[in-house]
Amino acid sequence: MSATPVKVAVTGAAGQIGYSLLFRIASGELLGKDTPVELRLLEITPALKALEGVVMELDDCAFPTLAGVVIGDDPEEIFADVDGAMLVGAMPRKEGMDRADLLAANGKIFTGQGAALNKVAPKAKVLVTGNPANTNALIAMRNAPDMAPEQFNALTRLDHNRAKSMLAKKLGVSVAEIKDLAIWGNHDDSMYPDLFNTKVNGKAATELVDQTWITEEYIPTVATRGGAIIKARGASSAASAANATIDHMRDWMLGTDEVVSMSVPSDGSYGVPEGIISSFPCRVRGGKWEIVQGLELGDFSRERIMASAARLESERDQVQQLGLI
Ligand code: NAD
Ligand code: LMR
């Protein structure tokens, strides 16, 4: 095992997603069985007692990869020199709410956390899961002026995994046979899963399913899956969200040969306005992500991508009015 532990911060660590996420990171599922990890766990003061109980359970697992756990309610103390920060802590929506309804309540969490990261964790890779994830990531990024915008991502890997799984089920294939699928846009019901550039065993997915199914069933089902889970479970997705948070951060830290969906600051690629944090097909090498270039997008795809980008612009304008950026 290597000597220096990788420091990973998780906010909202006593919450539902935290309860699934921490044990998997601690057991080596983020960075592998040869890399020790130190967990830095942030919570609000009233939740620290519950977090102490979670830490007792982490101790009781005797994970060889877990080099240490630090808990607290001070972002500057918890984020000090972390390599990665998973910003999960935020209120989840309830049935009947849109994720954007959470902006005013959750947005202000990310001003302080962005500023703290800027001060004490200049090299961190920061992944926002707390909703509305894209715009919260934008808030954190804009409050961290000394960090590179590239250091701020938001989670659309859960949507990516959902889209893959639903297509695999429809075609009766394994998810491993599906490549180059990607989610574009916002983590809301305007997101666009693009099947035109998706391959199934090397064949274009659009040759295997018909357009009516894509438009009327597939896109809306992927885009509203979070709400369907809230309705069924009475609480927002947690284990699958933790899984996707690990998938995203693992690929960002260790690299991947696959095309994956990551919400990243737009550089204007494909006409998505510069600066907003939008989901794109990405590749990752050497700890750096890049947007896949040169994809063909027809009118159907372009219209949907631009509609989702417009949602992100409207959320950005809203947080600007709230004085959060
Ligand atoms: P939860 O309510 O179970 O847990 C949230 C935790 O965050 C709580 O323990 C709370 O005390 C803590 N918290 C609140 N403010 C904080 C702050 N300022 N600093 C640190 N911790 C803070 O919620 P959950 O189910 O774990 O979900 C967390 C967030 O993740 C929600 O916003 C939810 O909507 C979002 N989510 C996103 C995705 C995605 O794909 N992007 C998927 C699922 C859930
Ligand atoms: C999800 O997609 O499951 C989460 O973003 C929770 C939600 O509010 O839908």
Side-chain angles (χ1 to χ4, degrees):
M1 205 173 296
S2 61
T4 324
V6 174
K7 292 183 185 167
V8 179
V10 177
T11 71
Q16 277 207 91
I17 296 176
Y19 197 63
S20 182
L21 187 58
L22 304 183
F23 295 85
R24 295 190 56 192
I25 299 172
S27 70
E29 285 187 55
L30 177 66
L31 296 164
K33 300 281 180 197
D34 293 327
T35 306
V37 178
E38 179 177 313
L39 284 173
R40 317 283 303 228
L41 309 180
L42 185 72
E43 257 300 347
I44 50 170
T45 317
L48 285 176
K49 184 82 191 148
L51 186 54
E52 280 171 21
V54 178
V55 175
M56 285 157 80
E57 286 204 70
L58 280 167
D59 286 344
D60 295 350
C61 292
F63 290 123
T65 35
L66 184 57
V69 185
V70 179
I71 72 169
D73 56 6
D74 176 355
E76 285 189 21
E77 201 181 300
I78 294 300
F79 292 153
D81 295 322
V82 294
D83 302 286
M86 296 169 169
L87 306 188
V88 177
M91 187 202 292
R93 67 177 168 145
K94 309 271 180 318
E95 207 178 327
M97 289 170 82
D98 286 326
R99 296 188 188 97
D101 295 336
L102 297 170
L103 261 186
N106 287 341
K108 55 183 179 296
I109 295 173
F110 296 86
T111 57
Q113 291 183 359
L117 286 160
N118 190 58
K119 197 162 167 194
V120 301
K123 299 214 168 76
K125 290 178 164 56
V126 182
L127 170 61
V128 177
T129 295
N131 275 322
N134 298 59
T135 300
N136 288 338
L138 180 76
I139 295 169
M141 177 184 99
R142 294 278 287 268
N143 282 274
D146 304 323
M147 293 172 74
E150 291 76 32
Q151 289 174 262
F152 292 86
N153 285 187
L155 187 75
T156 33
R157 183 61 171 265
L158 178 54
D159 311 299
H160 175 101
N161 290 345
R162 287 167 171 166
K164 226 180 193 182
S165 169
M166 281 178 207
L167 181 64
K169 253 192 180 165
K170 167 81 175 167
L171 296 176
V173 301
S174 116
V175 287
E177 291 167 87
I178 298 173
K179 304 280 183 224
D180 300 347
L181 189 159
I183 303 289
W184 294 73
N186 195 8
H187 176 60
D188 76 352
D189 60 8
S190 69
M191 74 178 76
Y192 176 57
D194 175 24
L195 290 190
F196 290 92
N197 287 291
T198 300
K199 310 273 182 317
V200 184
N201 286 316
K203 237 184 172 183
T206 42
E207 286 177 30
L208 304 170
V209 289
D210 64 65
Q211 183 67 40
T212 312
W213 179 77
I214 295 178
T215 313
E216 287 175 18
E217 276 191 55
Y218 183 68
I219 296 175
T221 309
V222 171
T224 59
R225 181 71 158 187
I229 289 169
I230 292 173
K231 205 163 180 199
R233 239 171 66 80
S236 78
S237 63
S240 56
N243 178 66
T245 303
I246 289 180
D247 282 350
H248 182 131
M249 190 59 99
R250 183 200 56 230
D251 287 348
W252 195 2
M253 285 182 154
L254 304 182
T256 174
D257 292 331
E258 303 250 325
V259 170
V260 287
S261 305
M262 301 170 83
S263 283
V264 299
S266 174
D267 59 358
S269 291
Y270 300 100
V272 175
E274 218 176 317
I276 54 171
I277 297 193
S278 179
S279 191
F280 287 96
C282 290
R283 284 206 178 82
V284 192
R285 293 263 148 73
K288 292 197 186 315
W289 54 263
E290 55 182 50
I291 297 171
V292 176
Q293 297 296 331
L295 295 172
E296 283 202 18
L297 298 174
D299 290 345
F300 181 87
S301 299
R302 256 178 215 291
E303 260 171 41
R304 280 161 181 76
I305 292 167
M306 296 320 289
S308 198
R311 289 273 188 98
L312 286 167
E313 287 185 296
S314 139
E315 289 183 18
R316 178 203 56 204
D317 295 347
Q318 231 177 300
V319 295
Q320 210 148 23
Q321 274 160 20
L322 290 167
L324 302 176
I325 60 174

